[in-house]
Amino acid sequence: MTPILHPSLETPTISPALYRFQRHQPLSSRKTTLWKIHQGLVRTVTWNDEGSIITLGFWGPGSWVGWAIDQVSPYEIQPLTTITATTVTTHQVIPSRNLLDHQQQTNIMLGILHCHRMETRLLKLLIWLAQRFGQRRSHGIQMQLPLTHQEIAETLGTTRVTVTRLINQLEQSDQIQWSRRHQFIPSHTLAIEAGNF
């Protein structure tokens, strides 16, 4: 965790420190601390008795994350990219929009995870991630979300091998374009799923 001064604040004594974390460098998840994400993407996770990771959510700039909101143990905040964030004490009032965002994301994730077919579950997750973190283009949504097949599998409750096979099938049927550095959801795929979000 590397502290850096917030460039827009002149007096370090009254400014919260802006911290930088690298991918997979967990943020402190003390019960009395929340994090406000300024740049980059994180996921929040827990794990079951067998050690399998359970993804709780994906968060970007403007999001507040921390145990005090999710109240799940064990609990970890994992950067998916290089991020910058500031700490917020739990004595401060959490903005209602952040609590609403957590509630909405929980509902969406539950809806995705209750899809019977794994291919449908995967496609709905990818479209939702694109809509949340991507940029609209004339023919679809472009994003650069550095999720591994393993991280997607952990989110969906399946195996990496299954995710790889299904992503290949979705690419062959021209429903997505997906690689480590480039992901694209075409307009015709978005149109098919539009009524389900």
Side-chain angles (χ1 to χ4, degrees):
M1 171 169 75
T2 307
I4 55 177
L5 290 181
H6 196 293
S8 65
L9 298 171
E10 297 177 0
T11 314
T13 55
I14 63 167
S15 69
L18 188 66
Y19 294 92
R20 179 173 286 124
F21 296 84
Q22 302 301 316
R23 177 172 166 81
H24 295 312
Q25 181 185 1
L27 285 70
S28 167
S29 53
R30 288 178 297 180
K31 294 183 178 182
T32 57
T33 302
L34 293 168
W35 290 93
K36 182 178 180 182
I37 308 303
H38 292 277
Q39 185 177 24
L41 301 172
V42 301
R43 72 171 179 165
T44 49
V45 301
T46 186
W47 46 93
N48 62 22
D49 292 339
E50 286 122 26
S52 299
I53 290 177
I54 301 165
T55 301
L56 300 172
F58 295 93
W59 312 99
S63 296
W64 290 31
V65 294
W67 183 91
I69 296 176
D70 289 307
Q71 298 199 8
V72 174
S73 296
Y75 182 80
E76 192 167 270
I77 305 164
Q78 300 178 341
L80 297 171
T81 63
T82 298
I83 70 154
T84 55
T86 50
T87 57
V88 183
T89 67
T90 53
H91 300 296
Q92 293 178 257
V93 177
I94 301 169
S96 57
R97 69 180 181 278
N98 292 96
L99 296 174
L100 181 61
D101 190 30
H102 274 261
Q103 183 62 53
Q104 289 173 337
Q105 187 165 157
T106 298
N107 292 343
I108 289 168
M109 294 284 283
L110 283 171
I112 289 170
L113 291 174
H114 280 83
C115 291
H116 181 66
R117 295 178 64 240
M118 188 57 69
E119 181 178 348
T120 304
R121 200 181 295 184
L122 172 61
L123 187 57
K124 284 183 180 293
L125 175 68
L126 299 183
I127 290 172
W128 176 73
L129 288 170
Q131 290 173 333
R132 185 169 174 91
F133 299 112
Q135 296 181 330
R136 289 266 175 194
R137 300 288 186 246
S138 58
H139 295 89
I141 300 179
Q142 172 82 48
M143 60 180 171
Q144 292 180 312
L145 189 64
L147 279 177
T148 65
H149 289 192
Q150 180 61 40
E151 289 165 340
I152 295 170
E154 290 164 355
T155 302
L156 296 176
T158 188
T159 66
R160 181 192 57 78
V161 172
T162 298
V163 166
T164 299
R165 176 177 56 81
L166 291 175
I167 284 178
N168 289 337
Q169 288 177 6
L170 290 171
E171 285 192 292
Q172 289 169 8
S173 62
D174 196 34
Q175 291 183 275
I176 64 169
Q177 297 169 23
W178 198 270
S179 69
R180 184 82 168 93
R181 297 183 181 275
H182 166 85
Q183 303 96 36
F184 185 76
I185 310 293
S187 296
H188 61 266
T189 302
L190 296 169
I192 293 170
E193 294 295 322
N196 297 318
F197 285 94

